[in-house]
């Protein structure tokens, strides 16, 4: 699958001074990193700061959400073209924290996915199940439905060179990561589902694990065949821990 990919998701954290210190630490500590691509997804107001500090480095940047609409009277929304204006190359789509709090439907998330691609952004599509759904044994059905909404509308080919992040909702921010076997099983299911319809798309997509990734569990997770890296939340706010995760991936 080539290089691993590690994505920092700052969520709603940071200010200009803290960001400067953290980004400078990223630059200093990761400039020599090989065989791993690194992305930091920042809150909208800090896209310009990320662009200013990260351009001409080996670290890419992106946003944490985007509007499903290209332009129009949508107060408070931010379009894919606006994000692209700041040199961003990635955008997180459908994170469960947003889908739950703001009642995002699978259909809206599917539209955002192709909006990102239409404007030259690589979407990082988040999928995952709740603890109740896992305990009921329906986790593949739940994740499969999330993928089916995109596939049925736009076809499996849209997953080519995209990123999917498996984030079991019960693991996000809880410190309870999925086991490496649990994660590998779901990643294999995701890749296989796309491969049944488009083998080339399945081979070129990256599938990340997200959900309480830390330097310790990254060692077990990143050696799995279908785990192509991680989407890192809390530990991305600590430059030393984030560097350790990136070096495990490398």
């Amino acid at each position: 699958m080539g290089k691993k990919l590690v994505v920092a998701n700052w969520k709603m954290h940071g200010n200009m001074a803290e960001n400067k210190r953290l980004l400078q630490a990223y630059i200093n500590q990761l400039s020599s990193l090989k065989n791993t691509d690194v992305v930091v997804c920042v809150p909208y107001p800090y896209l310009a700061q990320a662009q200013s500090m990260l351009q001409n480095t080996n670290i890419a940047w992106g946003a944490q959400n985007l509007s499903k609409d290209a332009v129009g009277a949508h107060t408070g929304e931010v379009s894919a073209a606006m994000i692209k204006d700041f040199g961003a190359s990635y955008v997180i789509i459908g994170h469960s924290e947003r889908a739950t709090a703001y009642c995002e439907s699978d259909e809206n998330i599917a539209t955002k996915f192709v909006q990102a691609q239409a404007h030259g952004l690589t979407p990082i599509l988040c999928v995952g199940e709740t603890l109740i759904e896992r305990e009921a044994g329906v986790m593949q059905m739940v994740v499969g439905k999330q993928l089916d909404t995109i596939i049925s509308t736009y076809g499996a080919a849209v997953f080519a060179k995209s990123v999917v992040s498996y984030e079991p909702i019960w693991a996000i921010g809880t410190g309870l990561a999925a086991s490496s076997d649990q994660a590998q099983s779901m990643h294999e299911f995701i890749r296989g589902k796309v491969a049944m319809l488009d083998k080339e798309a399945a081979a070129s997509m990256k599938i990340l694990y997200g959900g309480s990734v830390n330097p310790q569990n990254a060692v077990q997770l990143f050696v799995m065949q279908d785990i192509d890296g991680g989407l890192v939340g809390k530990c991305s706010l600590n430059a030393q821990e984030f560097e350790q995760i990136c070096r495990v991936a490398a």
Side-chain angles (χ1 to χ4, degrees):
M1 292 305 298
K3 288 185 177 181
K4 297 287 191 188
L5 173 65
V6 179
V7 181
N9 177 16
W10 285 3
K11 307 190 180 184
M12 198 175 70
H13 292 102
N15 56 53
M16 292 292 284
E18 289 178 4
N19 299 348
K20 183 177 180 179
R21 287 192 292 269
L22 185 54
L23 289 174
Q24 191 59 58
Y26 280 10
I27 294 166
N28 294 343
Q29 296 171 15
L30 299 174
S31 61
S32 63
L33 190 71
K34 306 293 183 184
N35 301 318
T36 296
D37 292 320
V38 179
V39 180
V40 53
C41 289
V42 304
Y44 292 139
Y46 304 124
L47 282 170
Q49 185 183 29
Q51 180 182 30
S52 175
M53 292 189 66
L54 296 177
Q55 58 189 344
N56 302 318
T57 73
N58 61 335
I59 302 171
W61 60 96
Q64 299 172 12
N65 186 39
L66 83 169
S67 174
K68 67 181 179 64
D69 297 295
V71 69
H74 307 291
T75 302
E77 290 290 279
V78 175
S79 71
M82 293 173 181
I83 295 168
K84 192 68 178 175
D85 257 350
F86 292 94
S89 48
Y90 289 82
V91 60
I92 297 171
I93 306 289
H95 195 285
S96 65
E97 290 166 349
R98 288 202 54 82
T100 301
Y102 302 102
C103 302
E104 283 196 275
S105 67
D106 289 345
E107 290 74 20
N108 280 1
I109 292 168
T111 303
K112 290 181 177 187
F113 186 91
V114 294
Q115 271 289 342
Q117 291 181 323
H119 289 84
L121 295 167
T122 298
I124 303 171
L125 174 71
C126 297
V127 297
E129 80 285 354
T130 65
L131 182 59
I132 292 174
E133 289 164 341
R134 173 158 284 276
E135 289 177 341
V138 297
M139 55 278 187
Q140 290 188 352
M141 184 179 73
V142 170
V143 171
K145 178 178 178 294
Q146 293 166 343
L147 298 172
D148 281 337
T149 305
I150 294 175
I151 293 170
S152 63
T153 307
Y154 303 106
V158 297
F159 284 101
K161 297 182 179 180
S162 68
V163 180
V164 174
S165 181
Y166 169 55
E167 295 203 304
I169 296 170
W170 49 270
I172 298 171
T174 65
L176 301 172
S179 70
S180 54
D181 287 339
Q182 287 175 325
Q184 165 59 25
S185 177
M186 184 61 79
H187 283 229
E188 184 179 12
F189 166 76
I190 292 168
R191 198 180 305 281
K193 186 173 181 64
V194 175
M196 284 192 296
L197 300 169
D198 193 315
K199 290 183 179 179
E200 290 185 5
S204 68
M205 70 192 288
K206 289 190 182 295
I207 310 176
L208 311 182
Y209 173 77
S212 298
V213 180
N214 60 50
Q216 292 72 43
N217 60 34
V219 175
Q220 286 77 41
L221 290 164
F222 292 172
V223 297
M224 292 293 161
Q225 181 177 345
D226 290 292
I227 298 180
D228 301 316
L231 179 58
V232 185
K234 181 180 179 181
C235 284
S236 71
L237 302 174
N238 181 305
Q240 183 177 5
E241 291 183 340
F242 187 65
E243 178 197 6
Q244 291 173 347
I245 292 169
C246 291
R247 295 207 178 276
V248 168

